[in-house]
Amino acid sequence: MREGPTRRAGKLAALALIAIWSGLPILIVVLSSFKPPREILAFPPKLLFSPTFENYRALIVRWPEFFEALQSSLIVTTGATILTVVVTTLAGYVYARVRSRKLAASAFMMIVIRMVPPIVVTLPLFPVVNWLRLNDTHTVLILLYATFFVSLNTWIMKAFIDQIPVELEEAAIIDGAGVWQILRHVIVPLAAQGMIAASTFVLIFSWNEFLFAFIFTTTEAKTAPLILSEMVGAVDGVEWGVLFAAATLQLLPILIFVIAVQKYVIAGMTAGSLKG
Amino acid sequence: MKAMSTRVAHAVMVAPVQLMLVLVIGLPSLWVLWLSLHTTSFGQAPVFVGLANYATVLADPYFWHALVNTFVVVNVVVYVELVAALAMATLFASGVPFRRTMISIILAPYAVSEVVAVVIWKYMLEPDVGLISGLIALVGLPELAWTTDRWSALTLVSLLSIWLHLPFSFLILYSALLGVPKELYESAAIDGANAWHRFARITVPILMPAILVALMFRYVFAFRLFAEVWLLTGGGPARQTEVLATYLYRHAFRYQEFGVASAIGWLMVVGTLLISAVYLREMYKRMLSADA
C-alpha cells in the first residue's frame, strides 16, 4: 500500500513513542550504572559522561553476597530448564502421537492445574519442604519452577512434534528401532527448535522469579532478585549507583538472551497459548 | 508383546510431568482446601472448624480492601494492555520501518524481573531527579505521592504491571494478526471501506479468539499480582494497598494463621477457575468430546 508523508510521519512518531516506553527505562538503568554516583542524581540527566566502574567496584566490596546469588540463580535456572525440557519432550511426544481418552483427560487436567496461583501452593508446601529438609536449597526452587512450566511446555512440545511426519518414525520402526531410538534419532533432532522455544519461558521465569525464592530460601540458595530486593529496601537509604550496577548484571544476560532467541519466544508463545 | 511394551514406554514418558503436577500443585491445592476448614499453626494439631476461617476472612475489612484493590488493578492493567496491544499490532501489521529492531525493543521488558522493574520505576519517580517526576512537574500535575496515597500507589503498580506484560499481549495479538489473509483487506478496500471500518469489521472479528485467549491469560496472571506490590509498598501505608496475594502472605507467614490464609488461597483458586471457566469449558469440549 502506498503511504502519504503525513501517514508515514505519524507512524514514525508512534514508533518513537513505543520505543521510549519500552526501551528507555532499561537504557536509563544500564547507562546510569556506569555514571559516577554524583551524576546519577543530576536532573536533567546528563547524557554525556565519562563511564566509570566505580559502582561495580562498590558492589563487589559492599554486596559480595550478590555474586553468590547470581551463581545460585544460574544453578537454579539451568536445573529448572533442563528438567523441564527433558520431561516435557517425553510427554509432548506421547500427547502428539497417541490418542486415548485417558490421555485427553490428563491433558485437560494439566490445563486446569496450570490455573492455580503459585502463592496458594506455598501454604501446604512450606511445612513439607521444611520436613524434607529441602528448605533453602536449589533443589526446591528447581522443582517448583519446572513444575509451573511443564504444562505450558508439554503443549509447546506437542505442537512442534505434531509437525514431524509420522512416516519418518514408521520407517525407523521397520528398521527395528524402539521408542527410545525413535526419540533420540528422529524426534529430538527434528524437535530441537521446539525444545529451544519451550526452554526460553522457564529459563526467563526462573532467572527472574521472586515469590518462591522469597518464601523458600533464607541464606544459601538466595537468588539474585532476592538480594536486589534487599538492596532496594536497605534502611540507610537507596544507593542508586550500586543498585543500578547490580540490576544491570542481573538484567543484561537475560535481555541479550531474549533478543537472541526472539523468534523462538514468539513461536513458543503462539504454540503455547493459541493452540492450547 | 510389542504393543504392550510400547504402551508401558508411553506411560513412563508421561509419568514425570504428571507426577510433578500432581505432587507439587494438584495435591497441595486440595490440601489447601482441607487446611481452610481447620485452624492450625506451627506445631499445633489442626482442629476442624468448618467454615469459620471463611467467616473470619469475609468479615475482615482488610480482605475487602485487598479484593477491591486487586479488582481495580487487574481490570485497569488487562484492558489498558489490550487496547495498547491491539493498536500496536494493527500498526505493525500495516507495515512499519525497522520492524525487527522495534519488535526486539517491545519485547525487552519481558526479560526484566519484577525486582528490577521496581528499581527502574522507583528511580524514574524519585522526586527532583526522576524522569517521570520531572515530566509530571513540567506539565504542572501534582506529584504522584505513591508512598503515602493509596490510589497513587496502585496507579504505579498498574503502570509497572502494564510495562512488564505488554510484550505478552502484543505478541499474541500480533502473531494472530499475521495469519489474517491480505486479500480480505484488499477486497474491503475495493469496496470502499475506510481504515476504521477495516479495523472494526475485519481485524477485530478475526482477532476475537486471540483477544479472548490473551484476555483470559492476562486476567489469570494479573490476579496473582504479588511482587510488584510487595516490593513497592509492602501493602502499606497502613495496609491500604494490599492485594489478595500480599494479604495471603501476611496472614500465612507473618501472623502464622494458616487456616485463614488457606481460606484466602482457596478463594483465589475458585476465583481463577471462574475467570477461566469459559476457556476451560471450550478446551474440555475440544479435547474430550472430539476424541470420543
Side-chain angles (χ1 to χ4, degrees), chain A residues 11 15 21 29 40-41 43 93 95 98 101 107-108 114-116 119 123-124 147 201 208 214 244 250 254 262 270 273 276, chain B residues 13 18 28 94-95 102-104 110-111 113 120 123 128-129 163 172 175 217 224 230 245 249 252 272 279-280 287-288:
Chain A
K11 268 190 184 179
L15 287 182
W21 163 262
V29 166
I40 289 177
L41 292 181
F43 190 85
Y93 171 77
Y95 284 110
V98 186
R101 227 181 139 73
F108 178 70
R114 186 179 167 191
M115 298 298 167
V116 174
I119 196 165
L123 294 168
T147 306
F201 297 102
N208 287 336
F214 181 53
F244 287 157
Q250 195 272 340
I254 197 77
Q262 177 176 327
T270 351
S273 59
Chain B
M13 288 158 79
Q18 296 296 342
S94 76
M102 280 304 297
I103 289 185
S104 296
Y110 184 68
S113 60
I120 295 176
Y123 174 69
D128 303 325
V129 296
W163 187 75
I172 291 203
S175 39
F217 273 108
R224 303 170 173 182
W230 186 258
Y249 178 84
T272 307
Y279 172 81
L280 290 178
M287 294 165 78
L288 282 142

Short mmCIF file of all heavy atoms in Angstrom, two decimals, chain A residues 11 15 21 29 40-41 43 93 95 98 101 107-108 114-116 119 123-124 147 201 208 214 244 250 254 262 270 273 276, chain B residues 13 18 28 94-95 102-104 110-111 113 120 123 128-129 163 172 175 217 224 230 245 249 252 272 279-280 287-288:
data_model
loop_
_atom_site.label_atom_id
_atom_site.label_comp_id
_atom_site.label_asym_id
_atom_site.label_seq_id
_atom_site.Cartn_x
_atom_site.Cartn_y
_atom_site.Cartn_z
N LYS A 11 3.32 7.36 11.66
CA LYS A 11 3.82 6.03 12.03
C LYS A 11 5.15 6.14 12.77
O LYS A 11 5.37 5.48 13.78
CB LYS A 11 4.03 5.19 10.77
CG LYS A 11 2.82 4.37 10.42
CD LYS A 11 3.18 3.38 9.33
CE LYS A 11 1.94 2.63 8.91
NZ LYS A 11 2.22 1.67 7.85
N LEU A 15 6.07 4.91 16.50
CA LEU A 15 7.19 4.00 16.78
C LEU A 15 8.13 4.59 17.82
O LEU A 15 8.61 3.88 18.71
CB LEU A 15 7.96 3.69 15.49
CG LEU A 15 7.27 2.78 14.48
CD1 LEU A 15 8.19 2.54 13.29
CD2 LEU A 15 6.87 1.46 15.12
N TRP A 21 8.79 4.16 25.52
CA TRP A 21 8.06 3.46 26.59
C TRP A 21 8.74 2.14 26.95
O TRP A 21 8.96 1.83 28.12
CB TRP A 21 6.62 3.24 26.15
CG TRP A 21 5.88 2.21 26.96
CD1 TRP A 21 5.69 0.91 26.64
CD2 TRP A 21 5.24 2.40 28.23
NE1 TRP A 21 4.97 0.27 27.62
CE2 TRP A 21 4.68 1.16 28.61
CE3 TRP A 21 5.09 3.51 29.08
CZ2 TRP A 21 3.99 0.99 29.79
CZ3 TRP A 21 4.39 3.32 30.28
CH2 TRP A 21 3.85 2.09 30.62
N VAL A 29 18.74 2.65 33.27
CA VAL A 29 19.38 1.89 34.34
C VAL A 29 20.77 1.42 33.92
O VAL A 29 21.75 1.57 34.66
CB VAL A 29 18.52 0.68 34.74
CG1 VAL A 29 19.32 -0.29 35.58
CG2 VAL A 29 17.30 1.15 35.49
N ILE A 40 24.39 10.55 38.95
CA ILE A 40 23.16 9.77 38.83
C ILE A 40 21.96 10.60 39.27
O ILE A 40 20.88 10.53 38.70
CB ILE A 40 23.26 8.49 39.67
CG1 ILE A 40 24.25 7.52 39.02
CG2 ILE A 40 21.89 7.81 39.81
CD1 ILE A 40 24.48 6.26 39.79
N LEU A 41 22.17 11.43 40.28
CA LEU A 41 21.05 12.20 40.80
C LEU A 41 20.96 13.60 40.18
O LEU A 41 20.29 14.48 40.70
CB LEU A 41 21.14 12.30 42.32
CG LEU A 41 20.93 10.95 43.02
CD1 LEU A 41 21.01 11.08 44.53
CD2 LEU A 41 19.59 10.32 42.63
N PHE A 43 19.63 16.31 37.60
CA PHE A 43 18.46 16.49 36.75
C PHE A 43 18.52 17.86 36.10
O PHE A 43 18.78 18.83 36.77
CB PHE A 43 17.17 16.36 37.56
CG PHE A 43 15.96 16.31 36.68
CD1 PHE A 43 15.54 15.11 36.14
CD2 PHE A 43 15.25 17.48 36.39
CE1 PHE A 43 14.42 15.07 35.32
CE2 PHE A 43 14.14 17.43 35.56
CZ PHE A 43 13.73 16.22 35.03
N TYR A 93 5.81 -35.81 23.24
CA TYR A 93 5.82 -36.84 22.19
C TYR A 93 4.60 -37.74 22.31
O TYR A 93 3.91 -38.01 21.32
CB TYR A 93 7.11 -37.67 22.30
CG TYR A 93 7.11 -38.88 21.41
CD1 TYR A 93 7.35 -38.75 20.05
CD2 TYR A 93 6.83 -40.15 21.92
CE1 TYR A 93 7.33 -39.86 19.22
CE2 TYR A 93 6.81 -41.26 21.11
CZ TYR A 93 7.06 -41.11 19.75
OH TYR A 93 7.02 -42.19 18.93
N TYR A 95 1.72 -37.12 23.85
CA TYR A 95 0.49 -36.39 23.56
C TYR A 95 0.33 -36.11 22.07
O TYR A 95 -0.78 -36.01 21.56
CB TYR A 95 0.43 -35.07 24.35
CG TYR A 95 0.09 -35.29 25.80
CD1 TYR A 95 1.03 -35.10 26.81
CD2 TYR A 95 -1.18 -35.72 26.16
CE1 TYR A 95 0.71 -35.31 28.14
CE2 TYR A 95 -1.52 -35.95 27.48
CZ TYR A 95 -0.56 -35.73 28.47
OH TYR A 95 -0.89 -35.96 29.77
N VAL A 98 -0.12 -40.28 20.48
CA VAL A 98 -1.08 -41.26 20.97
C VAL A 98 -2.41 -40.58 21.28
O VAL A 98 -2.44 -39.51 21.88
CB VAL A 98 -0.56 -41.96 22.24
CG1 VAL A 98 -1.50 -43.09 22.65
CG2 VAL A 98 0.85 -42.48 22.02
N ARG A 101 -8.62 -41.64 25.49
CA ARG A 101 -9.45 -40.82 26.35
C ARG A 101 -8.73 -40.48 27.64
O ARG A 101 -8.82 -39.37 28.15
CB ARG A 101 -10.75 -41.58 26.64
CG ARG A 101 -11.91 -40.68 26.46
CD ARG A 101 -13.25 -41.26 26.73
NE ARG A 101 -14.02 -40.26 27.46
CZ ARG A 101 -14.51 -39.16 26.90
NH1 ARG A 101 -14.30 -38.90 25.63
NH2 ARG A 101 -15.21 -38.29 27.62
N ALA A 107 -4.54 -34.48 29.88
CA ALA A 107 -4.12 -33.22 29.27
C ALA A 107 -5.02 -32.08 29.74
O ALA A 107 -4.55 -30.98 30.03
CB ALA A 107 -4.16 -33.32 27.75
N PHE A 108 -6.30 -32.37 29.86
CA PHE A 108 -7.22 -31.34 30.34
C PHE A 108 -6.92 -30.98 31.79
O PHE A 108 -6.89 -29.81 32.17
CB PHE A 108 -8.67 -31.82 30.20
CG PHE A 108 -9.66 -30.81 30.73
CD1 PHE A 108 -9.85 -29.61 30.06
CD2 PHE A 108 -10.36 -31.04 31.91
CE1 PHE A 108 -10.74 -28.66 30.55
CE2 PHE A 108 -11.25 -30.09 32.40
CZ PHE A 108 -11.44 -28.91 31.72
N ARG A 114 -2.72 -25.72 35.71
CA ARG A 114 -1.92 -24.56 35.34
C ARG A 114 -2.53 -23.26 35.87
O ARG A 114 -1.86 -22.25 36.01
CB ARG A 114 -1.86 -24.52 33.81
CG ARG A 114 -0.96 -23.47 33.23
CD ARG A 114 -1.00 -23.60 31.71
NE ARG A 114 -0.41 -22.45 31.06
CZ ARG A 114 -0.51 -22.22 29.76
NH1 ARG A 114 -1.15 -23.06 28.98
NH2 ARG A 114 0.04 -21.15 29.24
N MET A 115 -3.83 -23.27 36.18
CA MET A 115 -4.50 -22.07 36.62
C MET A 115 -4.23 -21.73 38.08
O MET A 115 -4.45 -20.62 38.52
CB MET A 115 -6.02 -22.22 36.41
CG MET A 115 -6.45 -22.41 34.98
SD MET A 115 -5.98 -20.96 34.02
CE MET A 115 -6.20 -21.56 32.35
N VAL A 116 -3.79 -22.70 38.88
CA VAL A 116 -3.61 -22.47 40.31
C VAL A 116 -2.54 -21.39 40.57
O VAL A 116 -1.43 -21.50 40.07
CB VAL A 116 -3.21 -23.77 41.03
CG1 VAL A 116 -2.89 -23.51 42.49
CG2 VAL A 116 -4.30 -24.81 40.89
N ILE A 119 1.18 -18.75 44.74
CA ILE A 119 1.26 -18.47 46.18
C ILE A 119 0.40 -19.45 46.98
O ILE A 119 0.69 -19.75 48.13
CB ILE A 119 0.87 -17.01 46.50
CG1 ILE A 119 1.32 -16.65 47.91
CG2 ILE A 119 -0.62 -16.76 46.33
CD1 ILE A 119 1.32 -15.17 48.23
N LEU A 123 1.50 -22.55 50.84
CA LEU A 123 0.96 -22.80 52.18
C LEU A 123 1.21 -24.24 52.64
O LEU A 123 1.84 -24.45 53.67
CB LEU A 123 -0.53 -22.47 52.22
CG LEU A 123 -0.88 -20.99 52.04
CD1 LEU A 123 -2.37 -20.82 51.80
CD2 LEU A 123 -0.45 -20.21 53.26
N PRO A 124 0.73 -25.24 51.88
CA PRO A 124 0.99 -26.61 52.32
C PRO A 124 2.43 -27.04 52.06
O PRO A 124 2.97 -27.88 52.79
CB PRO A 124 0.03 -27.46 51.50
CG PRO A 124 -0.35 -26.62 50.35
CD PRO A 124 -0.21 -25.19 50.76
N THR A 147 7.96 -27.30 37.63
CA THR A 147 6.58 -27.78 37.67
C THR A 147 5.60 -26.73 37.14
O THR A 147 4.64 -27.07 36.46
CB THR A 147 6.18 -28.18 39.10
OG1 THR A 147 7.13 -29.11 39.59
CG2 THR A 147 4.80 -28.81 39.11
N PHE A 201 10.87 -19.95 28.05
CA PHE A 201 9.93 -19.42 29.04
C PHE A 201 10.34 -19.78 30.46
O PHE A 201 10.36 -18.93 31.35
CB PHE A 201 8.52 -19.92 28.76
CG PHE A 201 8.01 -19.43 27.44
CD1 PHE A 201 8.01 -20.26 26.34
CD2 PHE A 201 7.59 -18.13 27.30
CE1 PHE A 201 7.58 -19.80 25.13
CE2 PHE A 201 7.16 -17.66 26.09
CZ PHE A 201 7.15 -18.50 24.99
N ASN A 208 14.26 -14.74 36.88
CA ASN A 208 13.67 -13.52 37.43
C ASN A 208 12.76 -13.74 38.63
O ASN A 208 12.34 -12.77 39.26
CB ASN A 208 12.85 -12.82 36.34
CG ASN A 208 13.74 -12.17 35.29
OD1 ASN A 208 14.89 -11.85 35.56
ND2 ASN A 208 13.20 -11.98 34.10
N PHE A 214 11.68 -15.96 47.68
CA PHE A 214 11.44 -15.17 48.88
C PHE A 214 10.94 -16.06 50.02
O PHE A 214 11.35 -15.91 51.17
CB PHE A 214 10.40 -14.09 48.53
CG PHE A 214 10.04 -13.15 49.64
CD1 PHE A 214 11.02 -12.46 50.33
CD2 PHE A 214 8.71 -12.93 49.95
CE1 PHE A 214 10.68 -11.57 51.34
CE2 PHE A 214 8.36 -12.05 50.96
CZ PHE A 214 9.34 -11.37 51.66
N PHE A 244 22.01 0.10 40.60
CA PHE A 244 21.97 0.03 39.14
C PHE A 244 23.01 -0.96 38.61
O PHE A 244 22.76 -1.68 37.64
CB PHE A 244 22.23 1.41 38.52
CG PHE A 244 21.06 2.35 38.67
CD1 PHE A 244 21.26 3.72 38.62
CD2 PHE A 244 19.79 1.86 38.86
CE1 PHE A 244 20.18 4.58 38.75
CE2 PHE A 244 18.71 2.71 39.00
CZ PHE A 244 18.91 4.09 38.95
N GLN A 250 22.10 -8.36 36.66
CA GLN A 250 21.02 -9.35 36.67
C GLN A 250 20.26 -9.32 35.34
O GLN A 250 19.84 -10.34 34.83
CB GLN A 250 20.06 -9.06 37.84
CG GLN A 250 19.11 -10.19 38.19
CD GLN A 250 17.81 -10.17 37.40
OE1 GLN A 250 17.42 -9.15 36.85
NE2 GLN A 250 17.15 -11.31 37.34
N ILE A 254 20.01 -11.85 30.54
CA ILE A 254 18.71 -12.39 30.13
C ILE A 254 18.11 -11.54 29.01
O ILE A 254 17.44 -12.06 28.11
CB ILE A 254 17.76 -12.50 31.34
CG1 ILE A 254 16.59 -13.42 31.05
CG2 ILE A 254 17.23 -11.17 31.80
CD1 ILE A 254 16.94 -14.86 31.10
N GLN A 262 14.51 -14.33 20.19
CA GLN A 262 13.24 -13.66 19.89
C GLN A 262 12.28 -14.51 19.07
O GLN A 262 11.12 -14.70 19.42
CB GLN A 262 13.57 -12.36 19.16
CG GLN A 262 12.38 -11.55 18.71
CD GLN A 262 12.87 -10.24 18.10
OE1 GLN A 262 13.89 -9.71 18.51
NE2 GLN A 262 12.17 -9.73 17.11
N THR A 270 2.95 -18.43 20.62
CA THR A 270 1.79 -18.74 19.78
C THR A 270 1.40 -20.20 19.95
O THR A 270 0.22 -20.51 20.12
CB THR A 270 2.11 -18.49 18.29
OG1 THR A 270 3.37 -17.85 18.21
CG2 THR A 270 1.08 -17.60 17.69
N SER A 273 -0.15 -20.67 23.65
CA SER A 273 -1.37 -20.05 24.13
C SER A 273 -2.52 -20.24 23.15
O SER A 273 -3.64 -20.44 23.55
CB SER A 273 -1.14 -18.56 24.37
OG SER A 273 -0.72 -17.95 23.18
N GLY A 276 -3.32 -24.14 22.60
CA GLY A 276 -3.69 -24.92 23.76
C GLY A 276 -3.98 -24.03 24.94
O GLY A 276 -4.33 -24.50 25.97
N MET B 13 6.87 -42.28 29.88
CA MET B 13 7.25 -40.96 29.35
C MET B 13 6.34 -39.84 29.86
O MET B 13 6.76 -38.71 30.00
CB MET B 13 7.21 -41.00 27.82
CG MET B 13 8.36 -41.81 27.24
SD MET B 13 8.00 -42.37 25.57
CE MET B 13 8.31 -40.89 24.66
N GLN B 18 3.27 -35.70 34.87
CA GLN B 18 2.05 -35.87 35.66
C GLN B 18 2.36 -35.89 37.16
O GLN B 18 1.66 -35.27 37.95
CB GLN B 18 1.33 -37.17 35.26
CG GLN B 18 0.80 -37.18 33.84
CD GLN B 18 -0.27 -36.13 33.60
OE1 GLN B 18 -0.86 -35.62 34.54
NE2 GLN B 18 -0.51 -35.80 32.35
N PRO B 28 -1.26 -30.37 46.77
CA PRO B 28 -1.21 -29.21 47.67
C PRO B 28 -2.44 -28.30 47.57
O PRO B 28 -2.91 -27.78 48.58
CB PRO B 28 0.06 -28.47 47.21
CG PRO B 28 0.93 -29.54 46.69
CD PRO B 28 -0.01 -30.52 46.02
N SER B 94 0.27 -3.20 9.49
CA SER B 94 0.13 -2.34 8.32
C SER B 94 1.49 -2.05 7.69
O SER B 94 1.57 -1.32 6.71
CB SER B 94 -0.57 -1.04 8.70
OG SER B 94 0.33 -0.19 9.37
N GLY B 95 2.56 -2.60 8.27
CA GLY B 95 3.89 -2.39 7.71
C GLY B 95 4.58 -1.19 8.34
O GLY B 95 4.07 -0.08 8.29
N MET B 102 12.31 -2.95 16.16
CA MET B 102 11.23 -2.48 17.01
C MET B 102 10.64 -3.62 17.84
O MET B 102 10.31 -3.44 19.01
CB MET B 102 10.12 -1.85 16.14
CG MET B 102 10.41 -0.43 15.69
SD MET B 102 10.75 0.70 17.07
CE MET B 102 9.20 0.67 17.95
N ILE B 103 10.51 -4.79 17.22
CA ILE B 103 9.95 -5.91 17.99
C ILE B 103 10.89 -6.31 19.12
O ILE B 103 10.46 -6.62 20.23
CB ILE B 103 9.60 -7.09 17.05
CG1 ILE B 103 8.38 -6.67 16.22
CG2 ILE B 103 9.31 -8.36 17.83
CD1 ILE B 103 7.83 -7.73 15.32
N SER B 104 12.20 -6.25 18.85
CA SER B 104 13.16 -6.52 19.94
C SER B 104 12.97 -5.54 21.08
O SER B 104 13.00 -5.92 22.26
CB SER B 104 14.59 -6.40 19.43
OG SER B 104 14.85 -7.38 18.47
N TYR B 110 9.90 -7.88 28.67
CA TYR B 110 9.60 -9.27 29.00
C TYR B 110 10.77 -9.93 29.71
O TYR B 110 10.60 -10.88 30.48
CB TYR B 110 9.24 -10.04 27.72
CG TYR B 110 8.81 -11.45 27.98
CD1 TYR B 110 7.61 -11.71 28.63
CD2 TYR B 110 9.61 -12.53 27.61
CE1 TYR B 110 7.21 -13.01 28.90
CE2 TYR B 110 9.21 -13.82 27.87
CZ TYR B 110 8.01 -14.06 28.51
OH TYR B 110 7.64 -15.33 28.79
N ALA B 111 11.98 -9.43 29.47
CA ALA B 111 13.17 -10.02 30.09
C ALA B 111 13.43 -9.46 31.48
O ALA B 111 14.28 -9.96 32.21
CB ALA B 111 14.40 -9.78 29.21
N SER B 113 13.03 -8.57 35.36
CA SER B 113 12.39 -9.14 36.54
C SER B 113 11.56 -8.07 37.23
O SER B 113 11.78 -6.87 37.06
CB SER B 113 13.46 -9.66 37.50
OG SER B 113 14.30 -8.60 37.90
N ILE B 120 13.70 0.37 38.52
CA ILE B 120 13.62 1.35 37.43
C ILE B 120 12.53 2.38 37.70
O ILE B 120 12.76 3.60 37.63
CB ILE B 120 13.31 0.63 36.09
CG1 ILE B 120 14.47 -0.29 35.71
CG2 ILE B 120 13.04 1.63 35.00
CD1 ILE B 120 14.20 -1.11 34.45
N TYR B 123 13.10 4.76 40.58
CA TYR B 123 14.08 5.80 40.24
C TYR B 123 13.44 6.86 39.36
O TYR B 123 13.66 8.06 39.55
CB TYR B 123 15.28 5.17 39.53
CG TYR B 123 16.28 6.18 39.02
CD1 TYR B 123 17.04 6.93 39.90
CD2 TYR B 123 16.45 6.38 37.65
CE1 TYR B 123 17.95 7.86 39.44
CE2 TYR B 123 17.35 7.31 37.18
CZ TYR B 123 18.11 8.05 38.08
OH TYR B 123 19.00 8.98 37.61
N ASP B 128 12.45 15.19 42.21
CA ASP B 128 13.55 16.09 41.82
C ASP B 128 14.56 15.49 40.85
O ASP B 128 15.28 16.21 40.19
CB ASP B 128 14.33 16.61 43.05
CG ASP B 128 13.42 17.32 44.04
OD1 ASP B 128 12.47 17.98 43.56
OD2 ASP B 128 13.65 17.19 45.24
N VAL B 129 14.67 14.16 40.76
CA VAL B 129 15.69 13.61 39.87
C VAL B 129 15.11 12.67 38.81
O VAL B 129 15.68 12.50 37.75
CB VAL B 129 16.79 12.84 40.64
CG1 VAL B 129 17.54 13.79 41.53
CG2 VAL B 129 16.19 11.70 41.44
N TRP B 163 3.75 -2.23 31.96
CA TRP B 163 5.06 -2.16 31.32
C TRP B 163 5.68 -3.56 31.18
O TRP B 163 6.22 -3.92 30.13
CB TRP B 163 5.99 -1.25 32.13
CG TRP B 163 7.29 -0.99 31.46
CD1 TRP B 163 7.52 -0.15 30.40
CD2 TRP B 163 8.56 -1.57 31.79
NE1 TRP B 163 8.84 -0.18 30.06
CE2 TRP B 163 9.51 -1.04 30.88
CE3 TRP B 163 8.99 -2.49 32.76
CZ2 TRP B 163 10.86 -1.38 30.92
CZ3 TRP B 163 10.33 -2.83 32.78
CH2 TRP B 163 11.25 -2.28 31.88
N ILE B 172 0.87 -11.98 21.26
CA ILE B 172 -0.25 -12.88 20.97
C ILE B 172 -1.14 -12.28 19.88
O ILE B 172 -1.49 -12.95 18.90
CB ILE B 172 -1.06 -13.15 22.25
CG1 ILE B 172 -0.21 -13.99 23.17
CG2 ILE B 172 -2.38 -13.86 21.90
CD1 ILE B 172 -0.97 -14.77 24.17
N SER B 175 0.88 -11.95 16.40
CA SER B 175 1.07 -13.19 15.62
C SER B 175 -0.27 -13.70 15.09
O SER B 175 -0.31 -14.32 14.03
CB SER B 175 1.81 -14.26 16.42
OG SER B 175 1.39 -14.27 17.74
N PHE B 217 -5.68 -15.20 29.77
CA PHE B 217 -4.36 -15.44 30.39
C PHE B 217 -3.91 -14.23 31.20
O PHE B 217 -3.36 -14.37 32.29
CB PHE B 217 -3.31 -15.79 29.33
CG PHE B 217 -3.30 -17.25 29.01
CD1 PHE B 217 -3.80 -17.72 27.82
CD2 PHE B 217 -2.81 -18.16 29.94
CE1 PHE B 217 -3.81 -19.07 27.54
CE2 PHE B 217 -2.81 -19.51 29.67
CZ PHE B 217 -3.31 -19.97 28.46
N ARG B 224 -2.66 -12.89 40.18
CA ARG B 224 -1.63 -13.40 41.10
C ARG B 224 -0.73 -12.30 41.64
O ARG B 224 0.14 -12.58 42.46
CB ARG B 224 -0.74 -14.41 40.39
CG ARG B 224 -1.49 -15.55 39.79
CD ARG B 224 -0.61 -16.37 38.90
NE ARG B 224 -1.33 -17.56 38.46
CZ ARG B 224 -0.82 -18.51 37.70
NH1 ARG B 224 0.43 -18.37 37.26
NH2 ARG B 224 -1.52 -19.54 37.36
N TRP B 230 4.41 -5.99 46.78
CA TRP B 230 5.23 -6.27 47.95
C TRP B 230 6.50 -5.43 47.94
O TRP B 230 6.91 -4.88 48.96
CB TRP B 230 5.57 -7.76 47.99
CG TRP B 230 6.28 -8.12 49.24
CD1 TRP B 230 7.61 -8.33 49.41
CD2 TRP B 230 5.69 -8.26 50.53
NE1 TRP B 230 7.89 -8.60 50.72
CE2 TRP B 230 6.73 -8.57 51.44
CE3 TRP B 230 4.38 -8.16 51.02
CZ2 TRP B 230 6.50 -8.78 52.79
CZ3 TRP B 230 4.16 -8.37 52.38
CH2 TRP B 230 5.21 -8.67 53.24
N ALA B 245 -2.87 -11.50 47.06
CA ALA B 245 -1.69 -12.34 47.30
C ALA B 245 -0.86 -11.81 48.48
O ALA B 245 -0.34 -12.60 49.27
CB ALA B 245 -0.83 -12.43 46.04
N TYR B 249 -0.10 -13.67 51.99
CA TYR B 249 1.27 -13.82 52.51
C TYR B 249 1.35 -13.33 53.96
O TYR B 249 1.93 -14.00 54.82
CB TYR B 249 2.26 -13.04 51.63
CG TYR B 249 3.67 -13.13 52.16
CD1 TYR B 249 4.47 -14.21 51.85
CD2 TYR B 249 4.17 -12.16 53.04
CE1 TYR B 249 5.75 -14.32 52.36
CE2 TYR B 249 5.43 -12.25 53.55
CZ TYR B 249 6.23 -13.33 53.22
OH TYR B 249 7.48 -13.44 53.75
N ALA B 252 -0.30 -15.79 56.34
CA ALA B 252 0.39 -17.07 56.47
C ALA B 252 1.74 -16.90 57.16
O ALA B 252 2.04 -17.57 58.15
CB ALA B 252 0.58 -17.70 55.09
N THR B 272 -9.85 -17.87 40.21
CA THR B 272 -9.13 -18.13 38.97
C THR B 272 -9.91 -19.07 38.06
O THR B 272 -10.00 -18.86 36.85
CB THR B 272 -7.75 -18.74 39.25
OG1 THR B 272 -7.07 -17.91 40.18
CG2 THR B 272 -6.93 -18.85 37.99
N TYR B 279 -12.97 -20.51 28.98
CA TYR B 279 -11.84 -21.09 28.27
C TYR B 279 -11.71 -22.58 28.56
O TYR B 279 -11.56 -23.41 27.65
CB TYR B 279 -10.57 -20.35 28.67
CG TYR B 279 -9.27 -20.95 28.18
CD1 TYR B 279 -8.83 -20.72 26.88
CD2 TYR B 279 -8.48 -21.73 29.02
CE1 TYR B 279 -7.64 -21.25 26.43
CE2 TYR B 279 -7.28 -22.26 28.58
CZ TYR B 279 -6.87 -22.02 27.28
OH TYR B 279 -5.69 -22.55 26.85
N LEU B 280 -11.82 -22.94 29.84
CA LEU B 280 -11.67 -24.35 30.23
C LEU B 280 -12.77 -25.19 29.61
O LEU B 280 -12.53 -26.31 29.15
CB LEU B 280 -11.68 -24.48 31.76
CG LEU B 280 -10.45 -23.93 32.47
CD1 LEU B 280 -10.58 -24.07 33.98
CD2 LEU B 280 -9.18 -24.63 31.99
N MET B 287 -11.10 -31.14 23.60
CA MET B 287 -10.19 -32.26 23.88
C MET B 287 -10.92 -33.56 24.15
O MET B 287 -10.45 -34.61 23.78
CB MET B 287 -9.29 -31.91 25.07
CG MET B 287 -8.36 -30.76 24.76
SD MET B 287 -7.64 -30.08 26.24
CE MET B 287 -6.40 -31.30 26.57
N LEU B 288 -12.05 -33.48 24.84
CA LEU B 288 -12.68 -34.73 25.25
C LEU B 288 -13.87 -35.15 24.40
O LEU B 288 -14.10 -36.32 24.22
CB LEU B 288 -13.06 -34.65 26.73
CG LEU B 288 -11.80 -34.87 27.57
CD1 LEU B 288 -11.79 -34.00 28.80
CD2 LEU B 288 -11.65 -36.33 27.95
#
